[in-house]
Structure formats: structure tokens, C-alpha cells
Amino acid sequence: MKAHEGMYIGGAWRPAVGSDIIEVVNPADEQVIGQVPAGIADDVDAAVRAARAALPAWAATPPAERAARLTALRDVLVARKDEIAETVTAELGSPLPFSQGVHVGVPILVAGSYAELAATHAFEEKVGNSVVRQEPVGVVGAITPWNYPLHQIVAKVAPALAAGCTVVLKPAEDTPLTAQLFAEAVHEAGVPAGVFNLVTGLGPVAGQALAEHEGVDLVSFTGSTAVGRKIGATAGAAIKKVALELGGKSANVILPSADLAKAVGVGVANVMSNSGQTCSAWTRMLVHREQYDEAVELAAAAAAKYGDRIGPVVNAKQRERVQGYIDKGVSEGARLVVGGTEGPGERGYFVQPTVFADVNPEMTIAQEEIFGPVLSILRYEDEDDAVRIANGTVYGLAGAVWAGDDAEAAAFALRLETGQVDINGGRFNPRAPFGGYKQSGVGRELGAHGLAEYLQTKSLQFQER
Ligand code: NAD
């Protein structure tokens, strides 16, 4: 795999200040496929300076021109989609068709949506004797995870650029090659030097230096709740804006009137896709007690069919973590129906698709985010019980409701403490706001709500005539 030895700062690839490196490993065969520099505070400082220097001109660039750069960026992503998909597969391990369709397909849609929003958004409005302007927040420090490597980057950088902000990105250490390809795409799209900058490196070193840097006006972070809490505290102490997209433990509630086979089938597919490494995955399936046994049978059959079709998890540590949760499920008394801790082969960080039945809402596997291909099936007595169980975690990122008709499912969905709910299998919408209630985060990404995160308002009052 192609890898740059430097950092993309001020419109060029520059040597890193230190000599440490990060080895990139293919999780499917455990082979090293490349290496990138591990940035330190000095690299971050250079990148923030470049972003600050570029800010006044980019903020003053007419929105139509910013839109044109984003359209060009979208077009480069389209032109280089095969190369990007192969890179995501090599460093994340997801099967190539999934990389093509989702890992590259979704960011192309998101980049396109922000090209359109930049061109059409009303950055100024009249309110009585005032003109209210929406201005860019400033320099954005973006810190992203590995689970959807390109999407997480585009969901921050595209709205930031549309708003007129400049950006320093610190991507996840497991997937830096996709981030380097993105930097190449930004360059090819003709985005002015310094508007976008990339520093690869470790979270507690480069990530922390970026979150703490006084030249950063907004920290936009996606990742674990544990790190998010730390970043929120740092930003709070500095009175700095912060956006946090964190973990989830979402519920898939199947009401008695639903098409059970369909709801279970889609539910299992949702958890197994990307090897369970999706923050919004519906990892708790809630089924009425009278349909419970049938649902467990259906889920077991559906999960068993995934067998060798899912990719590995991202690294050895993640596999250990997932296996630890599977052991915990067994030791706390849940019934293992399919899967388990044994990996299917000698090489690669694979975990079998796993389904637990007889899971109580208090069990660890029903409360904590596992981030692997593990589904827990819970039993409820009536609708109030289902609401109580669905809302009974610290998280509130996503969810699903299935019923005989959309109105019944939507009425139930209104009772859920969560940022988004799919009604009877409604599709992911890249223009609808995405983000969490409770400890799943602060702020929203995607669409107009995502753009608003990167804007601040200024009111000009005029004398009334
Ligand atoms: P993580 O929190 O360990 O890392 C995320 C990013 O933060 C990485 O770039 C990492 O290098 C950086 N980081 C780590 N420590 C840091 C520190 N002290 N200061 C600054 N930056 C630091 O998470 P992960 O393991 O990469 O990703 C998995 C987690 O992300 C899961 O909990 C998942 O739910 C969550 N996630 C949430 C969303 C969402 O939109 N809500 C999306 C994807 C992933």
C-alpha cells in the first residue's frame, strides 16, 4: 500500500518533526502493509499555525466557491473510489463490496450534500432591525475513529469547509492510509493550502496535543465515551466549543404486530455488518415474550449464515475485548446460541458472529458497548416494559422499531431517548442529523444540523428608519 512519510501541512507533504512511526496492519492476515509517521505536539502546532494562517481568506471566500471546491472533492473521491475501497479493506479488514458500497459510497453522498448546502444555505438573515450572520467558528481540530475511516473524516471536514472553517485532522492510528488518500483528494480538488491539514499519530500524543491547542476553536471528536469525556473536560476548561459523537447500545424493538422474520433478519444484518463495529448498531434486540423463542431461532439461523462472510475486527486488542465480553455473557448466565470466543482460522483477528439469548437488561453485555459481531436478545412483557428496557442504558445514539404499520412504530419511537430511530427498516439518510442523547454525545453531524456545528452567529443591529 502507498504511504506518505510526512504530514500534509500547508498544502504540501512535509517531514515529521520526530522519527517515531506507526505500523499499519491488515487485520485479515496480520501482515504489515505500510507505515506512517507518529506525529508529536510540534507537528500539531505546525498544522494549527497553517490552519490559522489560511482561515481569514477561506472564511471570506464566497460560499459558491467553497461549494465548487467541495464538488471537486466529491468528484475526486468518485474517480478514486476503487483505490480508496481497497485501502479501507486492507487496513480495516471489511469485505471489498462493503468497502465499495458503504465505506466509500456514503462519504461521496455526504461530500455532495455539503457541496449543495454550501451553495444554498442562507448564511445571513434579517430579524427585525437586525441582520444575523452565520460565521465560521474558526480552526477545527477533528479527531476520528477507525470504524468508518473515510465517512468519519468527511462527516467533519466537508461541513467545516462548507462553513468557512479550516481544519487539522488527527485520524485513528489503525486507519491512517485512508486519511492520507483523503488529503491527496483535497489537494487534487484545489482546496487552498492550509485549509485542510493532516497529522497522523497516537491519540494520547497527537490527539491530546490537538485537543489542548489554544489555536483550535472547536474540537470535533468521534470515538469512545471514555476519551470523549476527557476531551469535553479539556475543552470546557478552555471555554472552547466541542462536538462529541460517542458510543451506543441501541435497541431494536420488535412489536407484536411486526413482520417478525423480516425484523429479525434485518436486525441481525445490522449488527453483523462491519463486524459489529458500528456505533449505531442495534446490539440489543427486544422481543415480546410470546414471540421470543421463534425470534431466537430466526436470529440464530440468520447469524449462522454470516459465518465466514464477515471480516475481522480491526486489531488484536479489539478481538480480545470482544472475546472478553462473550466470556462475560456466559459467566453472567446468558445463553450462547451461536458463535463464541473461538476464532475461525489461524490468521486474522476474526470473531464468529455471536448471538446470546436469555439476556437480562442488567447484564454487562446488555449495558456496555461491545463493538463486535455480538447480538443480545432480550424479552419484554408489554410496551411499557419495552420502553423501560430500551431506555435503560447510559447511551442514546440510535434504534429501530418494527410494527404492523409505520404510525404504530413511530408512536413508540417517540418514547425512545435516542437521536435516531429507523421505522420498519427505514434507510440511513445522509442528510438527516446524526448524533446522540445522553452519554452518546453532544451535537449533531450530517445535513444542515451538521453544518450548524461549524457556524457561530453575529447580530448587527441597524437603526430603524
Ligand atoms: P477511541 O476513543 O479510542 O479513539 C478515537 C480517536 O481518538 C482516535 O483518533 C484516537 O487516536 C483518539 N484519541 C485516543 N485517545 C485520545 C486522547 N487522550 N486525546 C485525544 N485523542 C485521543 O475510540 P476507537 O476505539 O478508535 O473507536 C471506537 C469507539 O468510537 C466506540 O466506542 C464507538 O462507539 C465510537 N464511535 C462513535 C461514533 C458516533 O458517531 N457516535 C462513530 C464511530 C465510533
Side-chain angles (χ1 to χ4, degrees):
M1 284 276 134
K2 179 174 146 202
H4 288 275
E5 283 173 15
M7 310 290 184
Y8 183 73
I9 295 176
W13 292 93
R14 302 197 181 164
V17 175
S19 55
D20 285 355
I21 52 131
I22 295 173
E23 284 192 333
V24 187
V25 174
N26 182 334
D29 61 12
E30 304 180 30
Q31 297 298 304
V32 175
I33 53 170
Q35 61 181 49
V36 299
I40 57 175
D42 289 344
D43 297 294
V44 170
D45 189 54
V48 173
R49 281 168 194 276
R52 278 237 86 81
L55 181 64
W58 184 246
T61 300
E65 171 55 20
R66 300 201 298 254
R69 289 307 108 226
L70 285 165
T71 301
L73 174 61
R74 195 263 329 264
D75 292 347
V76 177
L77 296 178
V78 171
R80 298 183 66 177
K81 63 183 184 343
D82 293 339
E83 186 189 356
I84 300 172
E86 281 157 22
T87 303
V88 172
T89 289
E91 60 182 358
L92 179 67
S94 73
L96 192 59
F98 191 76
S99 296
Q100 289 163 330
V102 177
H103 285 297
V104 184
V106 173
I108 287 171
L109 292 177
V110 172
S113 76
Y114 279 111
E116 222 178 282
L117 267 169
T120 55
H121 185 75
F123 287 93
E124 209 172 277
E125 65 173 328
K126 221 170 165 312
V127 179
N129 65 315
S130 304
V131 169
V132 179
R133 284 172 49 77
Q134 295 182 356
E135 301 187 338
V137 164
V139 173
V140 174
I143 301 173
T144 54
W146 43 263
N147 65 337
Y148 287 86
L150 184 62
H151 169 69
Q152 305 289 8
I153 291 171
V154 172
K156 296 189 188 310
V157 177
L161 264 48
C165 294
T166 57
V167 179
V168 176
L169 167 69
K170 204 302 282 174
E173 33 282 74
D174 288 292
T175 53
L177 301 180
T178 304
Q180 289 191 340
L181 278 181
F182 177 77
E184 286 184 11
V186 169
H187 192 84
E188 251 182 80
V191 173
V195 170
F196 170 81
N197 308 274
L198 170 70
V199 175
T200 49
L202 301 176
V205 182
Q208 193 165 329
L210 182 58
E212 287 174 351
H213 201 291
E214 29 177 65
V216 169
D217 301 298
L218 161 72
V219 183
S220 179
F221 170 81
T222 298
S224 61
T225 297
V227 175
R229 184 172 283 123
K230 234 171 127 175
I231 286 179
T234 305
I239 325 281
K240 194 180 280 187
K241 289 189 183 352
V242 68
L244 304 171
E245 296 288 346
L246 308 175
K249 191 74 195 175
S250 299
N252 177 17
V253 183
I254 305 176
L255 296 176
S257 59
D259 176 340
L260 186 67
K262 185 172 177 203
V264 171
V266 175
V268 169
N270 173 285
V271 174
M272 300 308 159
S273 81
N274 213 37
S275 303
Q277 303 165 122
T278 303
C279 47
S280 55
W282 314 327
T283 49
R284 296 178 300 148
M285 184 181 285
L286 274 56
V287 184
H288 189 266
R289 64 181 155 73
E290 280 176 11
Q291 297 173 322
Y292 191 80
D293 293 339
E294 191 186 346
V296 170
E297 254 177 55
L298 287 165
K305 267 199 247 150
Y306 272 84
D308 49 7
R309 279 194 290 136
I310 64 171
V313 295
V314 72
N315 57 33
K317 197 169 141 215
Q318 188 67 15
R319 180 177 59 184
E320 240 171 69
R321 185 185 135 97
V322 177
Q323 288 169 334
Y325 276 112
I326 296 174
D327 281 336
K328 190 110 188 168
V330 172
S331 71
E332 288 185 1
R335 177 160 57 97
L336 184 63
V337 191
V338 172
T341 51
E342 289 298 306
E346 279 178 12
R347 278 273 173 109
Y349 309 123
F350 290 90
V351 179
Q352 295 177 57
T354 297
V355 175
F356 277 106
D358 299 340
V359 179
N360 297 329
E362 297 74 28
M363 287 179 180
T364 306
I365 56 168
Q367 286 294 322
E368 295 184 12
E369 183 176 54
I370 298 174
F371 233 52
V374 182
L375 170 68
S376 295
I377 312 183
L378 295 93
R379 194 183 271 110
Y380 68 80
E381 293 294 318
D382 54 29
E383 276 200 20
D384 287 347
D385 194 32
V387 170
R388 188 182 56 79
I389 296 170
N391 290 338
T393 77
V394 296
Y395 295 114
L397 187 55
V401 184
W402 301 81
D405 63 60
D406 285 356
E408 185 191 351
F412 186 92
L414 296 186
R415 302 177 69 189
L416 296 180
E417 297 161 355
T418 190
Q420 49 265 307
V421 185
D422 293 357
I423 304 295
N424 282 327
R427 261 187 318 124
F428 172 72
N429 176 356
R431 289 166 190 253
F434 182 95
Y437 280 27
K438 302 196 285 188
Q439 289 184 27
S440 285
V442 176
R444 291 293 178 270
E445 293 197 316
L446 304 183
H449 293 264
L451 180 64
E453 294 287 329
Y454 297 92
L455 294 166
Q456 56 190 346
T457 55
K458 178 181 283 170
S459 305
L460 306 178
Q461 276 68 248
F462 291 87
Q463 275 192 346
E464 295 190 75
R465 294 181 195 280

